[in-house]
Amino acid sequence: MATFLSREACPTIKNILLLDSEGKRVAVKYYSDDWPTNSTRLAFEKSVFTKTQKSNARTEAEITMLENNIIVYKFVQDLHFFVTGSDDENELILATVLQGFFDAVTLLLRNNVEQREALENLDLILLCLDEIVDGGIILETDGSTIAGKVATHSMDDGASLSEQTISQALATAREHLTRSLLS
């Protein structure tokens, strides 16, 4: 008989943020009800950015505490990567998630990790977030595995989302939703 870990025993992620050099959203995903409205989320993002902008997290990830949350972060060019967990979460696990996200984005953007490139490939970055965490539960932390899954998804769809018409994009989204509901 198999035993399953309770949700409390599994490390969980509250959000993953990718902000630009002014603290504005590039790609964000929330997995916690700690910030129930868009305005509370924007306020949290602003406070995270304000607290971390003076640090030099370019070579290695840094860790900070904010509002009973542990935030692990790293900056590259004009992009700021953040992973948030509760204050009792393991920093090393959060750092591993951050590194996996960063490595996958680096691979998908072909080492051109900067805001314009990220915005042009936003569909890949959002797929990347879906491959890393689902509902706060960590699914994958290996950057090359994540990038490989994302690349497979985008090849299945033919054209990237940015090259599709609205109706094609809606059809693709509907197909993904149907697939996820059936699996």
Side-chain angles (χ1 to χ4, degrees), residues 91-136:
E91 295 92 353
L92 293 175
I93 291 173
L94 298 176
T96 304
V97 172
L98 176 75
Q99 192 62 48
F101 179 44
F102 172 75
D103 291 346
V105 168
T106 302
L107 287 166
L108 291 166
L109 299 183
R110 295 177 198 83
N111 290 326
N112 192 11
V113 182
E114 49 107 27
Q115 182 183 353
R116 191 175 66 72
E117 195 70 23
L119 290 171
E120 287 175 7
N121 293 284
L122 191 56
D123 55 333
L124 298 179
I125 291 173
L126 292 172
L127 281 171
C128 202
L129 291 172
D130 290 342
E131 291 295 337
I132 297 169
V133 176
D134 183 26

Side-chain angles (χ1 to χ4, degrees), residues 1-2 27 54 56 60 79 86 97 105 123 138-139 145 165 173:
M1 190 161 145
K54 300 252 188 287
N56 188 17
E60 290 193 19
L79 291 175
S86 62
V97 172
V105 168
D123 55 333
I138 302 163
L139 301 175
T145 303
T165 65

Side-chain angles (χ1 to χ4, degrees), residues 43-73:
F44 177 74
E45 292 161 24
K46 182 178 169 66
S47 59
V48 166
F49 181 78
T50 303
K51 180 164 178 121
T52 61
Q53 71 181 17
K54 300 252 188 287
S55 74
N56 188 17
R58 297 204 177 271
T59 52
E60 290 193 19
E62 301 269 335
I63 298 169
T64 192
M65 291 287 294
L66 179 68
E67 302 169 7
N68 296 323
N69 296 297
I70 297 173
I71 302 165
V72 181
Y73 59 99

Side-chain angles (χ1 to χ4, degrees), residues 145-172:
T145 303
I146 296 161
K149 288 180 180 181
V150 169
T152 305
H153 281 305
S154 44
M155 281 190 280
D156 289 346
D157 298 339
S160 73
L161 292 178
S162 59
E163 296 167 349
Q164 296 179 2
T165 65
I166 302 263
S167 60
Q168 288 172 322
L170 284 172
T172 302

